[in-house]
Amino acid sequence: MAYGGLSEISRGALAVWRRNLDAFIKTYRVNFIPPFVEPLLYLLALGYGVGALIQDVDGIPYPIFIAPALVSISVMYSAFFECTYSSYVRMYYQKTFDAMIATPLSIEDVICGEILWGATRGTIYAALMIPVLFLFGVIDLPTSLLLIPFAFPAGILFSAIGMCFTAITPSIDALNYPAFLFITPMFLFSGTFFPISILPQALQYFAFGFLPLANVVNVNRAITMAEFSPMLLYNIVWVLLVALLFFIIALNLMKRRLVN
Amino acid sequence: MEIITADNLEKYFGTLAAVDGISFSVQRGEIFGFLGPNGAGKTTAMKMIHCVSKRTGGELRVFGMDTDTDPRQIKQRLGVVPQENNPDPDFTTFQNLTIYARYFGIPASEAEQRAEELLEFMQLSEKRDAPIETLSGGMKRRLIIARALMNEPELLILDEPTIGLDPQARHLIWEKLRHLRSLGCTLVMTTHYLDEAERLCDRLVIMNSGKILVEGSPAELVRQYAGEEIVEAAASPGTIACLKEQGVEFEVFGDTIQVQTSDPQNIARTLMESCRRERITVRRATLEDVFLKLTGRTLRE
Ligand SMILES: Nc1ncnc2c1ncn2[C@@H]1O[C@H](COP(=O)(O)OP(=O)(O)OP(=O)(O)O)[C@@H](O)[C@H]1O
Ligand SMILES: [Mg+2]
């Protein structure tokens, strides 16, 4: 248990990651649709629909304003849902984790592999969205390619948070609570569809202090706008530290759930 | 050489003693059985041996290593067939084996070759590329056994290996298990089929309520606890009175009288000549007689 369980992680975690990648590739037809369709729908409805009424945000055309948020949201959803509903199904219904821990893999290997996979899935989605957004002319290349490497730590963050809920949920239905009470509000209030700066000062502090998506959106928007400020450093460090924190919490909660 | 050594091994779930201070040792190259009614603690004991359940007391060493401190090294060298089938439903039969091999760090080419061999060994080659949900229960069971052999284990843990298998498949499994033993593999198994235990196990223990009641080879146990032969007759009041009169010791189970004896001719003759001759049979005592005698005839919840 030294180092919060981190020392129990071995290369075996990559075998767990590979298993999930293989399963993903097997069903690629369904898996590759969301990253193409989602930005399309959002851009059409919000970017051009609502955007027609708004003109611009701080001098930025509305579709361009929401483009980085769309990538952030996609990373959040894919990583969070992978490590909640999908991991829960593997753990509880398919007994995949039981089969894995009867091999040399430790519980920490399994959980680490799952979180790495959730982050990878988020990264794949971010990468697939880029050409679509580029075709719409709402992001610039090559700067926006930086969205891809940042999707990975952001993905770890959302996967690890999801895994914590999976570790404590009494049933698969109870996972709806974090989805509706945590993910959905965050989806709306993290500087996604309107700038955080129009919120009261206290809420702005709250957003950057406690909302993962707010910090992720800020980084992604800086990337697509190619505008870098000191605040950006804070956001990046916040994402990295909080990701590590929840990663360790997830390992320990899962260990508690699975060891008997 | 001792492969498993358990000393006063204990597992509590809250206040329930699932395994209540058992001691045993398993030698290299033998088939060692755990028998016992539902809830006796067999699965719990298996899980502690393969390091997925932590003991709450006592000592447990596998390959000379402590299951608490060296689970990875121990698990690298053993194969596990859990009581409940848990194939990976997202993959085919063949992929189930190769992906499982990755968890042991076995290189892909080696894993693929071994997977083909094991599918052959377990007569599953026809289902090589079938999705898991298209396999019958017995095929899944064979797949799980094949999977447990992917890392060429020195010790195989089998929790009710032949559950749900048809007679042909059970015979196939028995043959395979004996073959593995001949290769020097050590096997630890649980089963509710007492004929299976009698045929396969070199030594076994019978557990009840977390405790080991007896230990020995099947033949020894039968001799010691059930005598050589059993004479059975219908339990009519007349026959019961008659046997009492003759001074023969017997037991009544439901509608049947059983007499344990080493001289079945004599008892059978007594029954035929002096009592009513109703449904009289003479048979060899079996492990089932021992089991029922030691663990009682009432159902466990
Ligand atoms: N995770 C658990 N939490 C609480 N109690 C448990 C747990 N696992 C097993 N038990 C209890 O421990 C006892 C032994 O169970 P175990 O599964 O070892 O029995 P078994 O001998 O394998 O039975 P069966 O023949 O039905 O498979 C039972 O009373 C069972 O209810
Ligand atoms: Mg059991």
Side-chain angles (χ1 to χ4, degrees), chain A residues 90-108:
Chain A
R90 286 192 283 272
M91 171 180 76
Y92 187 82
Y93 294 102
Q94 303 188 351
K95 308 281 180 212
T96 314
F97 291 8
D98 288 346
M100 286 172 173
I101 60 173
T103 73
L105 301 181
S106 63
I107 289 174
E108 289 84 350

Side-chain angles (χ1 to χ4, degrees), chain B residues 6-34:
Chain B
D7 186 26
N8 215 12
L9 180 62
E10 212 173 63
K11 176 70 186 185
Y12 272 82
F13 292 109
T15 55
L16 174 90
V19 170
D20 195 2
I22 62 173
S23 302
F24 61 90
S25 67
V26 177
Q27 307 295 319
R28 176 181 290 277
E30 71 175 339
I31 302 185
F32 191 92
F34 279 82

Side-chain angles (χ1 to χ4, degrees), chain B residues 4 26 32 34 46 49 155-158 186-190:
Chain B
I4 306 175
V26 177
F32 191 92
F34 279 82
M46 297 301 114
I49 294 170
L155 168 63
L156 194 56
I157 312 281
L158 306 127
T186 309
L187 291 91
V188 175
M189 64 183 288
T190 76

